[in-house]
Amino acid sequence: MSMVLPAVRFLMSAFVVFIVLLMGGSVVPRNANFRETPDGVPIYVVSNGFHTDLLMPLYETRSGIRWLDTLGQPALTAAFGAHEYVAFGWGNEAFFLESYAGGFPKAGTVARALLPGRTLMHVDFYRQDPAAGKHVVPLRISVAQYQELSRYIARSFQPDSAGRRVLRNAHGYTAEDFFFLARGQYHALRTCNDWTNQGLRQAGIRSALKAPLAASVLFQVRRAAARK
C-alpha cells in the first residue's frame, strides 16, 4: 500500500501537468503575423460552443473551387446549387451519429472518443453568410491561403477506390447537412477542434499551438480578425 499511494499521486500530478500544458497551448499563437487580406476570400470559423467548422464559399471565382464538384454528389448539386456557403467539420463517427435529433452521446461513447476511433466529415450547406457573433468569426484571406485551406479540407475526406467522396448518410441533423467518410482517427490528442486549428495553421492563418476546445480556436481567430 505504501508504494501504491505515491504512484497514484505521481500519476495524478502528471495528468494535471499534461492538462495545463495542453490548455496552455490555446494561448500560444501560430502564424502570429497573419493579417487579413482586405479584398480576400471570405471564410468563417463557426462553432456551436463545443465543435468548430470551417465555412467556405460554395463557389469561389478567383480560385475556381466549386465544392459541389469536389463532393461529386449529383443530388446535392441539384439541391444546393443556389446556396452560397458550405461548412466543413471533422469528428468522431459515433459521437456525430449519436447526436441526431439534438441528443447528447452516451457517456460510454464520450469515454471511448478519448481513444483512436473512426471519423466522419460533416458537410452543412448555408443559404447565405452567417452574422458575426459569439460563435461566428469572419475572416478575409488571400486566394493562395484559401487554396491551401481547401486542399486541406479535400484531403480530409476518405475516397473510395475510384477517388470519389463517400456519402455516409442520406441526411444529417437537418435536411441541409450530411456526413461523409473521413480520413484519420479521432482521439484525446486529435479532436475536431484540432482539425480546424490545423487547417488554419497550414494555410498560414493565425491559430493556436494546440486547440483541444472550440474556445481555443475562437480565441486565436478573434485576435486575427482584430489585427488590421
Side-chain angles (χ1 to χ4, degrees), residues 7 10 41 88 96 117 121 138 147-148 178-179 182 193 199 203 207 217:
F10 173 79
V41 180
F88 298 97
F96 271 143
M121 288 293 292
Q147 290 171 323
E148 183 58 34
F178 304 85
F179 290 109
N193 299 304
S207 52
V217 180

Side-chain angles (χ1 to χ4, degrees), residues 57-111:
L58 192 58
Y59 171 47
E60 204 290 305
T61 56
R62 285 170 288 182
S63 64
I65 294 172
R66 297 175 178 265
W67 281 109
L68 286 170
D69 291 349
T70 301
L71 295 174
Q73 299 289 327
L76 299 187
T77 300
F80 301 108
H83 285 52
E84 292 188 12
Y85 288 87
V86 58
F88 298 97
W90 177 94
N92 178 272
E93 179 182 59
F95 200 100
F96 271 143
L97 298 182
E98 287 187 16
S99 300
Y100 271 42
F104 194 81
K106 301 172 185 175
T109 300
V110 175

Side-chain angles (χ1 to χ4, degrees), residues 23-209:
M23 297 307 298
S26 300
V27 299
V28 179
R30 301 291 296 271
N31 303 318
N33 293 325
F34 166 81
R35 295 292 188 279
E36 290 190 87
T37 302
D39 61 345
V41 180
I43 70 164
Y44 298 79
V45 178
V46 299
S47 172
N48 61 6
F50 299 96
H51 170 89
T52 49
D53 285 342
L54 294 167
L55 188 77
M56 316 281 275
L58 192 58
Y59 171 47
E60 204 290 305
T61 56
R62 285 170 288 182
S63 64
I65 294 172
R66 297 175 178 265
W67 281 109
L68 286 170
D69 291 349
T70 301
L71 295 174
Q73 299 289 327
L76 299 187
T77 300
F80 301 108
H83 285 52
E84 292 188 12
Y85 288 87
V86 58
F88 298 97
W90 177 94
N92 178 272
E93 179 182 59
F95 200 100
F96 271 143
L97 298 182
E98 287 187 16
S99 300
Y100 271 42
F104 194 81
K106 301 172 185 175
T109 300
V110 175
R112 284 191 295 274
L114 299 175
L115 303 174
R118 292 187 299 184
T119 55
L120 296 175
M121 288 293 292
H122 184 227
V123 178
D124 194 359
F125 294 94
Y126 283 61
R127 295 183 182 275
Q128 58 189 26
D129 57 320
K134 180 180 179 181
H135 293 142
V136 178
V137 181
L139 292 172
R140 290 269 179 174
I141 64 176
S142 71
V143 173
Q145 289 169 334
Y146 181 76
Q147 290 171 323
E148 183 58 34
L149 185 57
S150 297
R151 283 191 287 268
Y152 172 80
I153 293 171
R155 288 194 301 265
S156 298
F157 287 84
Q158 177 62 62
D160 63 16
S161 58
R164 295 169 300 206
R165 273 71 182 181
V166 181
L167 191 63
R168 170 66 168 77
N169 283 24
H171 62 83
Y173 304 127
T174 71
E176 295 187 324
D177 71 290
F178 304 85
F179 290 109
F180 287 74
L181 299 187
R183 297 182 189 271
Q185 291 189 312
Y186 183 104
H187 51 77
L189 297 179
R190 174 62 168 165
T191 69
C192 53
N193 299 304
D194 281 314
W195 177 87
T196 302
N197 189 69
Q198 183 178 344
L200 296 169
R201 177 181 61 79
Q202 288 190 11
I205 301 164
R206 183 170 176 136
S207 52
L209 178 64

